[in-house]
Amino acid sequence: MNQLLTLYLLLNALRVGAFHPASLPGQADQNDYTTYHQTIARAQQLIARKHYQEAFALYKQVFDGYKFVFSRDYKVATQLALQVDQKQQAFTYLKKAIATGWTLSDLKKNALVTTLQGDPQWRVVEQQYDSLRALYQNGGNQDVRARVEKMFKKDQRKALLALFRIGATQERYAEKRFAPHSEQQMTQLLPIIDQYGYPGERLIHNGYWAAVMLSHHNSISKAYALKDTVYPHVKPKLMKALKSGQLSPYEFAMIDDWYMAVKTNGQETHFGYLSSSLTPQAKVKVDQCREAIGMSSVETIRLLADLQQQTGFNCYLPSNLVKKIGTAE
């Protein structure tokens, strides 16, 4: 249950050499987002080394090749456009980012983006903000969104109750009270996945709710995880959702690494999402797993974290991921 408490607090805190990039092969297969994410990961390598022009070209290729684009990538492209003196493109991507969820209050926290406020086009953005915001709020499958949001709020209330318990009482609560609740949640979530696909950013314009519920389910206790049949059943569906663009690599990594951490007492990880240190051998395996789903390597993430501190350039990665993972003996 300690893991469940940690996860509850963490998730609420989140709310929120020469390199030759490979080109997308012609017009990308819009049904396969593996290439999308791997190309973005290559662009992040370039950003980490301040090769902004080359990175910007890769982002534009992705946008041209795929119908659906994750909001995070429009945010990054807005900053890249500014770095390569493409102000008009910056405003174009800024509007797209707002239409996919970026709030005016959040974008004003970005020091690079706020440099646009002195341009006459900024007033146009402010005038169009409500209509752009409505595209995000009213888009997607509204019925599924409402159902998943209701489940998420119920999940948060149940998880919050764990905060008032300590020690063995937490463990009993997790297995006797939270587990039955979570199983009931899964009986509602899995049919949604089967009928509509994974309810993430693409389907319901929210990539947080379902990922939190699945992560909570995976963090009940080691004893529960060892006998659980839900996650082994749903994991192939999540892999399919990754490929179709319904689930981001970051959400999948969080869900999967909570399962691995709880099941193995923190001894094993696939993506290093929760890791503070890794042995050199484990780091190699983590980077291989990350590459397969289109996540940046441990080293690239370290460089991006440094870049953000130095310049303010923000790749909008999950805060638990933007950290320096140490080397364990």
Side-chain angles (χ1 to χ4, degrees), residues 3-4 6-16 72 152 155-156 198-200 206-220 231 234-235 238-239 242 247-263 268-275 286 289-290 293 295 317-323:
Q3 295 94 336
L4 180 61
T6 302
L7 176 58
Y8 177 82
L9 295 171
L10 170 63
L11 292 173
N12 280 282
L14 295 181
R15 259 199 259 248
V16 229
R72 172 187 294 109
F152 171 74
D155 194 76
Q156 291 290 281
Y198 179 82
N206 183 287
Y208 182 74
W209 297 334
V212 168
M213 288 188 288
L214 284 163
S215 297
H216 276 169
H217 182 82
N218 284 350
S219 60
I220 291 171
Y231 186 64
V234 78
K235 184 174 179 179
L238 300 183
M239 296 298 294
L242 267 173
L247 176 66
S248 84
Y250 308 103
E251 293 149 19
F252 176 74
M254 178 178 71
I255 295 166
D256 191 71
D257 267 6
W258 270 106
Y259 179 75
M260 292 300 297
V262 173
K263 186 177 180 180
E268 294 183 28
T269 179
H270 287 148
F271 305 102
Y273 194 95
L274 303 169
S275 303
V286 161
C289 289
R290 289 185 176 199
I293 65 170
M295 278 180 65
L317 301 175
S319 59
N320 197 58
L321 191 65
V322 184
K323 63 184 180 184

Side-chain angles (χ1 to χ4, degrees), residues 303-314:
L303 292 173
L304 289 173
D306 288 341
L307 182 71
Q308 183 172 338
Q309 288 185 336
Q310 295 163 6
T311 69
F313 194 109
N314 192 339

Side-chain angles (χ1 to χ4, degrees), residues 132-144:
L132 291 170
R133 179 71 177 165
L135 293 174
Y136 165 72
Q137 293 175 317
N138 302 325
N141 189 314
Q142 288 292 303
D143 176 63
V144 173

Side-chain angles (χ1 to χ4, degrees), residues 128-201:
Q128 296 178 349
Y129 178 77
D130 287 343
S131 59
L132 291 170
R133 179 71 177 165
L135 293 174
Y136 165 72
Q137 293 175 317
N138 302 325
N141 189 314
Q142 288 292 303
D143 176 63
V144 173
R145 179 184 172 90
R147 290 160 61 185
V148 175
E149 183 179 19
K150 183 178 180 180
M151 293 167 60
F152 171 74
K153 289 179 177 179
K154 182 178 180 181
D155 194 76
Q156 291 290 281
R157 290 193 297 270
K158 286 287 186 180
L160 181 61
L161 292 174
L163 295 176
F164 301 100
R165 293 166 171 81
I166 60 174
T169 305
Q170 292 177 351
E171 195 80 12
R172 286 195 298 271
Y173 175 82
E175 296 184 352
K176 301 298 183 182
R177 299 292 297 278
F178 192 86
H181 147 79
S182 186
E183 289 164 3
Q184 185 179 43
Q185 295 275 84
M186 294 302 108
T187 63
Q188 298 176 56
L189 183 62
L190 295 184
I192 289 175
I193 294 175
D194 289 338
Q195 183 174 357
Y196 301 99
Y198 179 82
E201 185 177 330

